[in-house]
Amino acid sequence: MRTRIFRESDVNRDPEGKFARKGFAGANSPTADVPDSPSRHGTGRGMPSIVAGADIRTRKGDEIALDMHHDGTVTFAVNGTSVTHDKATASTLMERIGEASAYEEDFEAWVKSTPTGPDGRPGTPQLAALVRAEGDGAVSVRLAPTPGMSAEALRNTPPINLSGDDQRKLGEGYDRARAATRLDTGPGELDVFLGDGKTFGFRHVGNDGEPVEVEFNARSMARLQRAINVVYEGFDEDDPDGPDDGVTEVDINTNAGKVRVQLDGEWRGDGPGDRLWILPADHDNWGIVVSGNRQEAFGEALEDLELLAEGEGWYDPSNR
């Protein structure tokens, strides 16, 4: 008999069946995004604004916090000064830092951002940052703390100096944050990200309306992906004595305990019963449910994280 421990019925839902954002009986109404905290964990009901981030301490002792928000914007916080840019501006800034590191000196690049006006049209471009080569691969970055700064004011802003190793750590943190994704799985929102300790993380709204997380180490993630492939294919090619088809449920051992992977209905189907379930077998602290029409996006998000983890050298999908 199939058992689903994650109690979806305990979570308030809107008319479309998604996790509700307001109207929890007997509790304060949650907002769409709970306030961010330095630990990047939610401090109340609902999903946090920040999906993933990184903290970098430079060789000179400066602290950089990089946070990727669910809407694609990126916040850079340096020594108490915080600026938020759209995805395109943040990407350009990182590219200019890489370019500047190749020059000894006499290189500077102005990074501009284009705000969107109330009518949805692009506004007037504004200076966002100044990147300069400082020699020996070092780079200085000046971030505009307020919109509309003049070039002179930005040039006089105190810089943050990045050595080659600082740039490497910043680049790795940015790549990790950029690979994180917030997905609409049908039943609710799900964050997928790489954790600090070489893990694959998942975050969603739990039974009490607050965000919960589970993280799998590399070997557990490889087992999880294999189990998903088995229920997708309907058979286990590594089990010569198993059935040739009809396999819809697989239990695996992970660092987070025993996990059940189950496929109901059709893979990528559009019916209400077409769902992928990833559930803990012994408790209900978390549970991932993906509707059929969201399963492709879910698979692509996991693949992006796997490729990045493989590139970092700590993940091998064949090491189960």
Side-chain angles (χ1 to χ4, degrees):
M1 178 180 296
R2 298 176 181 176
T3 303
R4 302 187 183 96
I5 301 177
F6 182 65
R7 298 190 302 270
E8 282 195 302
S9 60
D10 289 349
V11 183
N12 195 48
R13 295 178 179 278
D14 64 18
E16 295 182 354
K18 300 178 181 179
F19 291 111
R21 296 292 192 183
K22 57 185 178 180
F24 279 72
N28 294 330
S29 297
T31 57
D33 298 316
V34 300
D36 297 333
S37 66
S39 65
R40 299 189 179 87
H41 292 289
T43 57
R45 290 180 178 271
M47 293 285 272
S49 171
I50 296 171
V51 178
D55 295 308
I56 298 100
R57 181 180 291 274
T58 70
R59 186 176 62 178
K60 292 189 175 182
D62 292 315
E63 295 183 354
I64 305 173
L66 186 155
D67 293 316
M68 179 69 72
H69 299 268
H70 68 91
D71 60 359
T73 58
V74 183
T75 296
F76 296 88
V78 182
N79 295 335
T81 298
S82 177
V83 297
T84 300
H85 294 303
D86 59 64
K87 185 183 299 185
T89 303
S91 179
T92 300
L93 173 60
M94 296 301 297
E95 290 174 1
R96 297 297 175 266
I97 291 174
E99 292 174 1
S101 66
Y103 289 80
E104 283 303 311
E105 290 179 357
D106 300 326
F107 174 92
E108 66 177 26
W110 298 92
V111 178
K112 296 183 178 182
S113 63
T114 304
T116 301
D119 59 357
R121 295 184 177 183
T124 302
Q126 300 175 345
L127 292 177
L130 171 61
V131 180
R132 292 175 54 98
E134 301 295 343
D136 294 327
V139 172
S140 65
V141 180
R142 291 169 171 83
L143 298 174
T146 57
M149 286 190 70
S150 67
E152 181 180 1
L154 182 53
R155 195 183 293 276
N156 291 328
T157 299
I160 180 169
N161 297 295
L162 303 174
S163 67
D165 189 56
D166 297 334
Q167 296 167 48
R168 177 189 60 77
K169 291 187 291 185
L170 180 61
E172 289 178 352
Y174 178 72
D175 287 342
R176 280 173 155 244
R178 185 172 54 175
T181 305
R182 176 163 296 174
L183 299 166
D184 179 358
T185 65
E189 292 180 327
L190 176 71
D191 290 346
V192 296
F193 57 93
L194 293 182
D196 294 334
K198 297 182 179 180
T199 58
F200 294 82
F202 300 84
R203 180 190 303 114
H204 66 87
V205 173
N207 288 323
D208 60 358
E210 296 186 2
V212 295
E213 295 182 1
V214 60
E215 295 189 10
F216 296 107
N217 61 25
R219 178 165 291 183
S220 297
M221 184 63 192
R223 291 174 179 173
L224 177 61
Q225 274 289 41
R226 174 180 173 273
I228 294 173
N229 289 335
V230 168
V231 298
Y232 165 69
E233 296 286 352
F235 64 93
D236 185 354
E237 62 181 12
D238 294 334
D239 183 6
D241 298 325
D244 294 333
D245 57 40
V247 177
T248 60
E249 183 178 308
V250 176
D251 286 350
I252 57 174
N253 293 317
T254 76
N255 62 288
K258 182 174 289 187
V259 172
R260 177 164 300 136
V261 177
Q262 180 176 309
L263 178 65
D264 286 351
E266 297 294 328
W267 182 266
R268 294 174 58 187
D270 56 6
D274 298 323
R275 290 190 169 188
L276 173 69
W277 305 75
I278 302 173
L279 309 172
D282 303 319
H283 59 80
D284 60 354
N285 295 339
W286 60 271
I288 300 169
V289 188
V290 186
S291 295
N293 60 353
R294 312 296 167 86
Q295 288 165 3
E296 183 175 7
F298 175 69
E300 290 175 350
L302 294 188
E303 184 178 2
D304 287 343
L305 294 182
E306 287 182 292
L307 290 174
L308 182 56
E310 284 187 73
E312 292 181 354
W314 57 269
Y315 177 70
D316 180 354
S318 65
N319 184 15
R320 302 189 293 262

